[in-house]
Structure formats: C-alpha cells, structure tokens
Amino acid sequence: MEKKTSTALVASPDERFCANIGVAAELADVRLVARVARYAQLPVLFDALQVDILVFDADPAEAEQDGQLASFHRSAPGTAILLATSALTDERVSNALLQGVSGFVPKHCDSREYADAMRAVQRGEIWLGREKLAHALTSLIDTVNLSARPRAPVGASEKLSPREEEIVGLILRGCTNKEIAKALGLSDKTVKAHLSHVFAKLGVTRRAQLALSRHPFGASPAGG
C-alpha cells in the first residue's frame, strides 16, 4: 500500500519565510499545498483543504487573534499546528499549548529544523527544545491555575506498575519512545503499549497532559 504524502498549509505574508518552509517541506517529504498571505482568508481555506500541518507565522500583528488557533484545533484536531515566531517566550508557548499547538520553532531558524519539526508533529509529538519545554510547562501550570484543583490521593501513583513508573520518569525528562526503549532494553512496540496503558490509567492523551498530571503544583518536569 502506497504511503500517503502529508500536506501542509503556511500562513504568512513573509515571502522569505514561506520559501524557507517550502524547502523544509521537501526535506520532510511533505507537500505544501497553499500559502495564505492574508490571515482573514485563512479560516475558509483551512476548512476547505483539511491539511495535515498548519505552519503559522505568529509575528504579524494581524496574526494576534484571540482563540483563532484553538478554533482551528477544534475544527480539525487531526491537523498539527506548527507555530513560528521571533519571540518564543514561555508565556507565548504556554498560551499556544492551551490552544492545541504542538510545535514551536524560532522563525529565523534554518529549513532543516523546520523539517525536523514537521516530522515530529506528524508523529503526534510536541516539538520544542527540552529545556524550553520544561519551562513552558511550568508556565502553563500557572496559567491554568492548577493549584486550585484538589490534590490527588497519595496512593494515586500506585495505579501504575513499576515499569510504567520508569517510563513516565523518562518521559518527564524529555525522552522519546526510541530513547526509552534503548534505556530499558525494550522494543519500540512494547514502549508504545506501556504508554497507552499509562495514558488510559491517568486519563490523558498527550505527553504534555501527562507532565501536568504528575506535577500538579508547578514542579519542573525535568526534576530541577
């Protein structure tokens, strides 16, 4: 069976940036199907194309529309949103995570990093430097005010097996599935199976949610 080529849409008035994304798409084996230069046109085109990846330039003032990315995520949850900005602050990342964004890249990085980001978000991963992600998750905890939620019972972690706890610990340190498999001497398939069980037990669906569920009072996921 022939593998389906992933598609992408880029929203930006910046021609140089769009050219960089075009090169990155070729490197990542992604078909760039359209470019939107005027953000007012984006909702209609986004709904019509139903692409796999939306590359969103957040720098222009026109891009700052409250809830727009969240609306895109709700209408097409299968579309990974990759946000590019010159000011990749913890606050901007945490706000974007709440809206369903799964990838963050400094706007003026090279095409290879964008290609890596595209591959990662296609796999359902969050793309951001590990140290930056740890800080952003802590900021996100503050943003949603998780401290107001009741503390989980002391014995809640007993729901996970010792092996599952090992895997969770490695995830919180930013390890990928392949790195976890290598560290624990397991196959990638076995790690994925354990991770599915962990998600089901903790009632989460993404790694970011897992980090929040295990550090509900603002502790750093990196353990620092």
Side-chain angles (χ1 to χ4, degrees):
M1 183 175 178
E2 186 176 351
K3 181 181 177 182
K4 174 181 173 292
T5 300
S6 296
T7 56
L9 166 66
V10 57
S12 175
D14 186 335
E15 292 186 4
R16 180 177 296 181
F17 170 74
C18 291
N20 193 18
I21 294 301
V23 174
E26 289 186 15
L27 292 173
D29 195 23
V30 172
R31 184 163 60 91
L32 190 59
V33 296
R35 170 200 171 188
V36 176
R38 295 177 58 193
Y39 288 81
Q41 300 171 336
L42 181 55
V44 172
L45 194 56
F46 180 80
D47 288 340
L49 294 177
Q50 294 291 300
V51 292
D52 298 300
I53 303 170
L54 168 63
V55 183
F56 188 86
D57 178 1
D59 274 1
E62 187 185 355
E64 296 290 347
Q65 297 184 31
D66 290 342
Q68 180 174 239
L69 294 177
S71 176
F72 292 152
H73 180 63
R74 285 193 300 270
S75 65
T79 298
I81 302 174
L82 182 60
L83 185 146
T85 175
S86 298
L88 197 58
T89 63
D90 290 348
E91 181 180 6
R92 170 160 268 177
V93 171
S94 62
N95 288 341
L97 282 170
L98 287 172
Q99 295 190 65
V101 173
S102 49
F104 305 86
V105 187
K107 185 175 175 181
H108 298 295
C109 69
D110 63 33
S111 56
R112 289 171 297 178
E113 183 168 349
Y114 274 107
D116 289 340
M118 287 181 177
R119 295 187 190 102
V121 297
Q122 283 183 92
R123 295 192 296 265
E125 299 175 9
I126 293 178
W127 178 268
L128 184 64
R130 292 178 184 176
E131 182 179 351
K132 191 79 175 176
L133 180 58
H135 289 298
L137 287 173
T138 300
S139 178
L140 176 60
I141 291 168
D142 294 335
T143 301
V144 298
N145 196 22
L146 289 180
S147 61
R149 296 185 181 181
R151 183 182 291 274
V154 173
S157 62
E158 294 175 2
K159 293 189 297 185
L160 301 183
S161 69
R163 176 62 83 188
E164 289 167 347
E165 287 286 3
E166 284 184 296
I167 289 174
V168 168
L170 291 170
I171 288 173
L172 297 183
R173 287 196 284 271
C175 294
T176 65
N177 286 0
K178 287 187 177 181
E179 289 170 337
I180 293 171
K182 183 177 181 180
L184 299 180
L186 304 173
S187 67
D188 288 355
K189 185 176 181 180
T190 300
V191 171
K192 289 180 181 178
H194 279 304
L195 196 51
S196 295
H197 294 156
V198 168
F199 282 0
K201 287 180 178 181
L202 298 182
V204 300
T205 59
R206 302 180 69 89
R207 289 172 180 246
Q209 293 172 328
L210 173 61
L212 293 176
S213 72
R214 300 312 297 273
H215 296 276
F217 292 92
S220 168

